[in-house]
Amino acid sequence: MNTVYATSANVAERRLAPPSLAISTVIFALRPSESSGRPTLWLPLVRRIREPFKDMWALPGGPLQHDESLQDAASRNLRETTGLAPQYLEQLYAFGGLHRSPAQRVVSIVYWALVQPTEAALADESENVRWFRADRLAELAFDHNAIVDYALWRLRNKMAYGSIAYHLLGEFFTLAQVREVYEAVLDRQLDPANFRRQIKGTPEIEETGEYLQGGKHRPPRLYRFTGTPGLGPDNRSTP
Amino acid sequence: MNTVYATSANVAERRLAPPSLAISTVIFALRPSESSGRPTLWLPLVRRIREPFKDMWALPGGPLQHDESLQDAASRNLRETTGLAPQYLEQLYAFGGLHRSPAQRVVSIVYWALVQPTEAALADESENVRWFRADRLAELAFDHNAIVDYALWRLRNKMAYGSIAYHLLGEFFTLAQVREVYEAVLDRQLDPANFRRQIKGTPEIEETGEYLQGGKHRPPRLYRFTGTPGLGPDNRSTP
DNA sequence: TTAGTTCTAGTCATTTTGACTTTAACTATC
DNA sequence: GATAGTTAAAGTCAAAATGACTAGAACTAA
């Protein structure tokens, strides 16, 4: 979305040129809310340093290079802008409306990623890269608000079926932490006892002998996720 | 997939040129199987008339024109190749592997469509456009076998959740016909009584006062689908 | 030692699911 | 015109899943 096929063509020539192709990524991570301290969804945005939409916040992205696959391009600009390696990365949608960008036509293939909080804490932040709460975004450049909305919708949807919540957690976690992820993403309270029964029913989750120490109350058992990310035609598996 | 950005550039220049962008479509319709007479999934393919993959069968597709949205491009080449207007059209995936096409890099944004059998029966067929059973395809051009496999996987998945089966049927249908669609797509038998109970539980289905006459046995009641297609960020709704 | 909190297991009524039975309504054939 | 054959449609029943809730276990903080 940031860079387009460099050319000195004038406007008339641009109309005939093929649309330029860009890759962008919506990156989700959990961070404790400033107010409640409970985990909430955050995402990193970059400040645009040129027109169009100069000085507005936008999704990280860039052009597709000729020697990288779509997914590689997404990984790369994720790494370049935030320094992060995603735990989960999947194609979201190809956006190709006629007027997404003034002056020239841009088709954006957008990916979405989940990163673990330990990673997310290390993420680069600077004048031009900052994390925002996913549910409290200002007006973004291009059609990026709509893209984020769609990414959130997909995340909630996947969460309801697939086993995706674990990619927002570290290697070991308690069942209460899993529940907090669900509560943060679905934005509603869940009954702890029933939730635990359900989660324990899934085979992709494994008890460890360890317990989380240092809490204020009875130490909860730690679990580990043994499933695979899997999805999409590139690496297929779930709904 | 068929046409690429026209240029007289040589190979070295092509490596630096941006990938060309194409739109293709996987079109599903039900047709009675030749053997059993039961409905089965079919799709139209076009014969390639030039290199690469000359004379092989491929998904209908073409370049994206500068004044049409992605979905419009898909509708258009669907209409141009088969004369069909789809009942349902949704983006499937953007395929952008490095070696999908020899010589130059092509990124294909693929749509999938469902058409009603009445429409499908009228579809143009010619020397270079022919319908094939979806589960018995020969080797296709490019990575089109993989694309069809993925489209089938998505169709089965959507069928299991959303209310998509109706788009393969006409305006009025019996519950047994709906079951046949499920059986054809999911490729397994379903209990008629339980299936009926489940379908009648969904609100998007409406009884008409009519009955299907002319059958050999008790005339079944006709129903109508009242839901909306809806999906994707362009027209949002279901999983 | 006690109060407070969370973790964990379990109970119970309700709903959903899968396998199956029964009756209704029509056609074709005797 | 009765009857056998077939599908439509409704209903039964046990098993499984779900939602609301209770209770004991295990820890910390006071």
Side-chain angles (χ1 to χ4, degrees):
Chain A
M1 210 55 241
N2 297 317
T3 316
V4 290
Y5 180 34
T7 170
S8 56
N10 63 28
V11 174
E13 282 168 336
R14 275 183 185 151
R15 277 185 53 85
L16 297 173
S20 65
L21 193 55
I23 309 292
S24 297
T25 313
V26 183
I27 303 157
F28 291 118
L30 291 177
R31 295 190 159 194
S33 146
E34 295 124 329
S35 44
S36 74
R38 299 180 161 285
T40 45
L41 275 178
W42 293 66
L43 55 86
L45 297 173
V46 301
R47 193 199 302 270
R48 290 198 45 90
I49 53 173
R50 56 175 110 169
E51 295 295 345
F53 298 103
K54 186 164 186 287
D55 292 329
M56 291 187 76
W57 294 96
L59 294 170
L64 174 65
Q65 287 173 10
H66 69 274
D67 62 343
E68 60 186 1
S69 69
L70 301 179
Q71 178 144 346
D72 288 346
S75 294
R76 178 179 51 78
N77 80 48
L78 199 149
R79 187 175 58 250
E80 285 173 0
T81 50
T82 62
L84 292 172
Q87 166 73 8
Y88 181 88
L89 182 61
E90 192 199 356
Q91 194 179 104
L92 178 65
Y93 199 75
F95 294 85
L98 268 58
H99 307 295
R100 303 182 57 241
S101 176
Q104 89 263 24
R105 177 91 185 269
V106 180
V107 172
S108 290
I109 298 177
V110 180
Y111 278 73
W112 64 294
L114 302 180
V115 298
Q116 302 186 343
T118 48
E119 287 262 16
L122 302 173
D124 301 340
E125 217 162 345
S126 67
E127 172 72 13
N128 293 323
V129 177
R130 195 144 79 202
W131 288 74
F132 295 86
R133 278 191 62 158
D135 57 348
R136 295 183 191 172
L137 294 180
E139 195 190 339
L140 306 182
F142 305 103
D143 53 354
H144 289 189
N145 284 296
I147 294 179
V148 172
D149 284 348
Y150 183 56
L152 275 169
W153 178 82
R154 265 272 267 279
L155 172 59
R156 296 198 173 104
N157 234 295
K158 289 256 150 141
M159 191 90 85
Y161 303 105
S163 44
I164 203 170
Y166 311 104
H167 300 293
L168 285 167
L169 294 168
E171 185 181 0
F172 302 102
F173 46 82
T174 68
L175 296 186
Q177 286 174 328
V178 179
R179 179 168 47 82
E180 283 185 315
V181 176
Y182 273 80
E183 291 181 337
V185 174
L186 301 180
D187 196 30
R188 60 190 174 92
Q189 301 281 108
L190 300 169
D191 180 86
N194 291 336
F195 182 82
R196 122 186 315 274
R197 181 179 56 194
Q198 273 212 175
I199 294 296
K200 294 201 74 169
T202 76
E204 294 170 312
I205 211 84
E206 183 182 271
E207 261 188 12
T208 70
E210 312 289 309
Y211 294 83
L212 178 64
Q213 304 295 345
K216 290 188 203 299
H217 307 290
R218 173 173 176 178
R221 185 184 287 274
L222 287 169
Y223 292 80
R224 181 196 285 115
F225 179 65
T226 57
T228 51
L231 255 158
D234 299 319
N235 54 334
R236 186 97 46 93
S237 119
T238 81
Chain B
M1 207 60 237
N2 297 319
T3 315
V4 291
Y5 180 33
T7 169
S8 57
N10 64 29
V11 173
E13 282 168 339
R14 276 184 185 151
R15 278 185 52 84
L16 297 174
S20 64
L21 194 54
I23 309 291
S24 297
T25 313
V26 183
I27 303 156
F28 292 117
L30 291 177
R31 295 190 158 194
S33 147
E34 293 125 328
S35 43
S36 72
R38 298 182 161 284
T40 46
L41 274 179
W42 293 65
L43 55 86
L45 297 174
V46 302
R47 195 199 301 271
R48 289 196 46 88
I49 53 174
R50 56 175 110 170
E51 295 295 346
F53 297 103
K54 187 165 185 292
D55 293 328
M56 291 187 75
W57 295 96
L59 294 171
L64 173 65
Q65 288 173 9
H66 70 274
D67 61 343
E68 60 186 1
S69 70
L70 302 179
Q71 178 144 344
D72 287 347
S75 295
R76 177 179 51 79
N77 80 47
L78 198 149
R79 187 176 59 251
E80 284 174 2
T81 50
T82 63
L84 292 171
Q87 167 73 8
Y88 181 89
L89 181 62
E90 191 198 358
Q91 194 180 103
L92 178 65
Y93 199 75
F95 295 85
L98 269 58
H99 307 295
R100 301 182 58 240
S101 176
Q104 88 265 23
R105 176 91 185 270
V106 180
V107 173
S108 291
I109 298 178
V110 180
Y111 277 74
W112 63 294
L114 303 179
V115 298
Q116 302 187 345
T118 46
E119 286 263 14
L122 303 173
D124 302 339
E125 218 161 347
S126 68
E127 173 71 12
N128 293 322
V129 178
R130 194 144 79 204
W131 287 75
F132 295 86
R133 277 191 62 158
D135 57 348
R136 293 183 191 171
L137 293 181
E139 194 190 341
L140 307 182
F142 306 102
D143 53 353
H144 290 189
N145 284 296
I147 294 179
V148 172
D149 284 349
Y150 182 56
L152 275 169
W153 178 83
R154 265 273 267 279
L155 173 59
R156 295 196 174 105
N157 236 293
K158 289 258 151 138
M159 191 90 83
Y161 303 106
S163 43
I164 203 168
Y166 312 103
H167 300 293
L168 286 166
L169 294 168
E171 187 182 357
F172 301 101
F173 46 81
T174 68
L175 296 185
Q177 287 173 327
V178 180
R179 179 168 47 82
E180 283 184 315
V181 176
Y182 274 79
E183 291 181 337
V185 173
L186 302 179
D187 196 31
R188 61 189 173 90
Q189 300 282 105
L190 300 170
D191 181 86
N194 291 337
F195 182 82
R196 123 185 316 273
R197 181 179 56 194
Q198 202 141 294
I199 293 295
K200 294 201 73 170
T202 76
E204 294 168 312
I205 211 85
E206 184 182 89
E207 261 188 14
T208 71
E210 311 289 310
Y211 293 82
L212 178 64
Q213 303 296 344
K216 290 189 204 300
H217 308 291
R218 174 174 174 176
R221 185 185 287 276
L222 288 169
Y223 292 80
R224 180 197 286 115
F225 179 64
T226 57
T228 51
L231 256 160
D234 298 320
N235 53 335
R236 186 96 49 90
S237 122
T238 81

